[in-house]
Amino acid sequence: MGTIVADAKDIKAGATLYMYKVSKSGEMIMVKANTCKVSDKGNVSVKLPESGTYELVTSKEAKVLDKQILNSIKPKKEQASIKKGKSTEMKFADKFNEENAKKIVYSVSNAAIAKISKYGKITAKKAGTVQVTATITLINGKKKTVRMTVKVK
């Protein structure tokens, strides 16, 4: 069972509200199919995807939250150096909650120098430098691309 929190002033007939899950730390997490419409009588019907606490916010508040989530997507480090045959991972800064990601696609600029798995594990093949790219598609469909340079010794 879940709990929904909403500001009464936002529940106006015809209004569209956006639903976010509230994590235990208070962080807002995007929810798939997160919009709901307030009926002419001022009622809101919501089907919760899972138990937890959810918050309904206005379009204006949702835009601010979405921007904060997009801005939180950064690589944990922008450069790495590894030896041939060894591995490292492309990780994201702690502020980015991967629950907001619908899909993450990784690629490398030169597959002869390094390869990357679908989970972000980079394996060095031969000496050189490559750009590792991660394209993150959020639950709301917005995308952000981040890069990391890897030098293979």
Side-chain angles (χ1 to χ4, degrees), residues 34-61:
N34 72 336
T35 60
C36 55
K37 202 82 158 151
V38 179
S39 74
D40 293 337
K41 295 180 181 180
N43 296 324
V44 180
S45 179
V46 178
K47 184 176 181 184
L48 299 179
E50 57 188 49
S51 65
T53 301
Y54 294 82
E55 189 166 331
L56 296 176
V57 299
T58 64
S59 173
K60 185 177 179 180
E61 293 166 318

Side-chain angles (χ1 to χ4, degrees), residues 88-91 104 106 115-123 132:
T88 189
E89 273 186 87
M90 182 173 196
K91 294 184 180 181
I104 302 174
Y106 297 96
K115 67 179 182 175
I116 189 159
S117 75
K118 64 181 179 178
Y119 303 107
K121 181 179 177 183
I122 305 157
T123 304
V132 178

Side-chain angles (χ1 to χ4, degrees), residues 80-120:
S81 186
I82 55 175
K83 293 181 180 177
K84 180 182 169 187
K86 298 294 181 184
S87 299
T88 189
E89 273 186 87
M90 182 173 196
K91 294 184 180 181
F92 300 100
D94 293 337
K95 288 184 177 184
F96 175 56
N97 186 327
E98 290 189 40
E99 286 184 65
N100 287 309
K102 179 179 179 182
K103 181 169 76 170
I104 302 174
V105 177
Y106 297 96
S107 63
V108 291
S109 60
N110 188 336
I113 296 172
K115 67 179 182 175
I116 189 159
S117 75
K118 64 181 179 178
Y119 303 107

